[in-house]
Amino acid sequence: MGRREISEPFAISFADRPVPALRFLLQRDFKPSGVVEHLPDGLTVGMTPWFTEVVFELTETDTVAVLYRISKDDEYDLVVACLGESVEPFFKLLAGGDYGDELSKLVQRHWPEQYEMLRLSTAEVPGGRVMFTLHTPQRVQWMVADHLPVGDDFSSAQVTDLIGAALQTFLRFSQPSDLPGVIPVLGGPDLLSRRLKTISGLINNLNGINGAFEDGLDTDDLYGLAKDAWDFVQGIDELRRSRR
Amino acid sequence: MSDTLAFAPIPQVLSDDEVPFVLSLAPDPRRFQDLGGAKYRRGSDRYTIEWPLGPIGLRAVVLCAEGHSFLMANAGPLLTDWWPILRRGSSSPDRPLVSACLAGEKITMQTDDLAIDLTIVPSGGEVDYTTVVLVLGDGFSPDEMTLAHHVSLAAIKVALLLAAEYRTLVDTVPDMAVPAGEGTIDLADMLTLADEVANQITWSPKQR
């Protein structure tokens, strides 16, 4: 129990290779990278030596979701949604010695999905949904990912489920003041604000998702975009359940 | 020029495994012979032609191996990891040089009064850089050296254009620093520089 159970998610490192940073899950005016192929079912994939980029149309607008498939080991690949560096400021509090144990309890109680992803990752339990970090030269990015046996395909239901989980994680970690009980743990609104600012070097929670905007997305747009995408994915899930 | 361009008088300052990257980002302090506006340095089986351009240099190598001499420009290791993927994919108008290479075609570079056919050799085996190659002849005769002098910028330009094709391929340039003398330069800046320099060279690729 406590922070030690979730504080050391696994990492995949390409830090010593000329590997480009992954792109944030949601993109507008997107240009695929690598050797691009347009598949008959409308999918666009971009192959690189290190990962395969897969582009999904989320809505009828110009917004797309970008997922990656990365080899993990001989047994598993990872299907990955990139959240940029947005998770890092709150994760530092969560894993730190000052508030980590108390915050971990709150996350376990109120954000059980994220707690479980961090727990499975820290324990290096293969097969489940995990949060982990991917290191490219000069950058550490956070990922939400599903394990996929090597050679298996992933279904559209898995895709929307993963996108939903990633969006939920993004919305929660980029707005940690929404975590019930977090303000007393961090010492009240003023202290919370100062501590997040100190740790992330950023002005407020919303600006704390700065790393997500490295692809040119606008700060004010992205939070709303993620919420819209979240509603869209939830709508698909409800539709799917209603058809069962 | 054939009266003055000869192998032996060039200062022997190169090591015998040296195939320098096409773009020199810092002054090379080693001795050189200035011939026709280019700096010449040699080893025992090779020499370099460096065209100074302000604080940077553009470099080609002439190498003699197994009785044949080759003009080469080293395009660096950026495409090394990419070649296996590129071979599996289809050709792309975004990558005309790479596509031509994979189709087994030579690259014709031309000026108003000259045209030569260059071969792009992907990295492989112990050679971890992509090269642009022209077979010159069978040694370092003055005529071959004169030819190399006049067409070296064509090979250099192809090597620089390969850097531009790498940028198109990768789209998001890795956040890497590239050695430049005693300091470093961002890879993205180096690619921009390569593109700008390539545009200043009058040789141009013939459209496929």
Side-chain angles (χ1 to χ4, degrees):
Chain A
M1 286 289 288
R3 69 185 168 92
R4 295 189 193 287
E5 198 173 51
I6 61 170
S7 62
E8 293 184 21
F10 74 82
I12 291 178
S13 181
F14 296 125
D16 58 348
R17 316 213 62 180
V19 179
L22 272 58
R23 264 86 78 91
F24 183 71
L25 168 63
L26 300 177
Q27 294 286 321
R28 278 181 171 151
D29 303 323
F30 183 67
K31 178 180 176 295
S33 59
V35 177
V36 178
E37 287 195 7
H38 301 282
L39 302 181
D41 54 2
L43 278 184
T44 299
V45 298
M47 291 173 289
T48 81
W50 310 281
F51 45 75
T52 300
E53 194 174 68
V54 191
V55 184
F56 299 90
E57 289 186 11
L58 257 191
T59 67
E60 292 178 357
T61 69
D62 57 355
T63 304
V64 296
V66 181
L67 298 181
Y68 295 88
R69 184 167 183 152
I70 303 174
S71 174
K72 185 187 180 210
D73 52 36
D74 291 343
E75 204 174 349
Y76 286 104
D77 290 345
L78 292 166
V79 182
V80 172
C82 174
L83 304 185
E85 291 154 66
S86 60
V87 170
E88 187 68 13
F90 185 65
F91 179 78
K92 278 188 175 169
L93 284 175
L94 194 57
D98 291 340
Y99 312 101
D101 287 329
E102 288 303 310
L103 288 178
S104 295
K105 288 177 191 169
L106 293 179
V107 170
Q108 185 175 21
R109 188 179 312 140
H110 300 291
W111 296 350
E113 300 90 349
Q114 283 68 38
Y115 188 92
E116 188 64 1
M117 288 192 283
L118 288 168
R119 188 188 71 78
L120 291 176
S121 182
T122 297
E124 298 209 39
V125 176
R129 178 166 291 167
V130 290
M131 291 171 67
F132 73 98
T133 54
L134 189 130
H135 300 230
T136 53
Q138 299 182 27
R139 195 169 293 186
V140 176
Q141 296 176 295
W142 278 87
M143 311 288 154
V144 169
D146 282 336
H147 284 77
L148 191 69
V150 171
D152 281 11
D153 290 330
F154 50 103
S155 67
S156 60
Q158 286 175 294
V159 167
T160 49
D161 197 53
L162 175 63
I163 292 171
L167 288 169
Q168 182 189 60
T169 304
F170 173 75
L171 292 170
R172 285 177 167 175
F173 273 70
S174 58
Q175 199 74 296
S177 56
D178 287 349
L179 176 65
V182 71
I183 292 177
V185 168
L186 294 182
D190 290 344
L191 268 176
L192 168 67
S193 174
R194 283 206 300 275
R195 280 170 181 148
L196 286 174
K197 183 180 174 183
T198 301
I199 285 176
S200 64
L202 302 165
I203 296 167
N204 56 42
N205 299 339
L206 191 56
N207 286 345
I209 54 178
N210 227 13
F213 309 127
E214 56 223 15
D215 308 314
L217 286 169
D218 180 75
T219 304
D220 294 331
D221 283 350
L222 194 73
Y223 200 77
L225 191 65
K227 283 185 168 173
D228 289 347
W230 166 255
D231 290 341
F232 177 79
V233 170
Q234 295 310 301
I236 291 177
D237 273 356
E238 282 178 22
L239 186 64
R240 186 175 292 120
R241 280 195 293 274
S242 71
R243 284 177 176 170
R244 279 176 189 157
Chain B
M1 176 168 290
S2 58
D3 291 338
T4 55
L5 196 52
F7 183 70
I10 297 171
Q12 186 170 352
V13 295
L14 298 181
S15 61
D16 276 344
D17 57 357
E18 196 166 337
V19 182
F21 179 54
V22 64
L23 205 50
S24 168
L25 297 169
D28 184 341
R30 294 176 296 185
R31 290 182 298 121
F32 61 89
Q33 184 176 5
D34 191 341
L35 289 165
K39 296 176 179 178
Y40 279 76
R41 299 178 178 89
R42 75 170 179 92
S44 63
D45 64 350
R46 67 196 64 203
Y47 64 92
T48 55
I49 307 167
E50 179 180 333
W51 294 96
L53 191 68
I56 64 170
L58 307 175
R59 297 182 294 204
V61 183
V62 179
L63 176 65
C64 188
E66 298 176 357
H68 298 287
S69 54
F70 306 89
L71 170 72
M72 301 164 61
N74 175 353
L78 289 171
L79 287 169
T80 297
D81 288 331
W82 284 92
W83 284 112
I85 297 278
L86 289 163
R87 286 190 182 96
R88 294 210 299 269
S90 49
S91 67
S92 165
D94 291 339
R95 301 184 292 275
L97 298 174
V98 166
S99 297
C101 167
L102 294 172
E105 298 171 7
K106 291 184 183 297
I107 311 298
T108 302
M109 294 294 286
Q110 57 192 8
T111 61
D112 289 342
D113 50 4
L114 269 178
I116 57 165
D117 289 337
L118 296 162
T119 302
I120 295 172
V121 180
S123 36
E126 293 180 1
V127 179
D128 72 346
Y129 48 84
T130 299
T131 45
V132 181
V133 178
L134 173 71
V135 179
L136 286 172
D138 52 12
F140 296 139
S141 73
D143 284 349
E144 287 162 353
M145 292 184 70
T146 302
L147 175 64
H149 181 91
H150 286 299
V151 302
S152 56
L153 280 171
I156 286 168
K157 180 158 181 172
V158 173
L160 294 172
L161 291 175
L162 282 170
E165 291 196 7
Y166 164 79
R167 184 170 211 156
T168 303
L169 182 66
V170 79
D171 196 48
T172 306
V173 178
D175 303 316
M176 294 191 79
V178 178
E182 294 179 0
T184 59
I185 178 175
D186 286 345
L187 176 58
D189 291 338
M190 193 204 75
L191 295 175
T192 301
L193 180 63
D195 192 40
E196 289 173 357
V197 171
N199 286 332
Q200 294 182 43
I201 298 175
T202 53
W203 288 89
S204 58
K206 186 178 178 182
Q207 299 301 312
R208 296 171 70 201

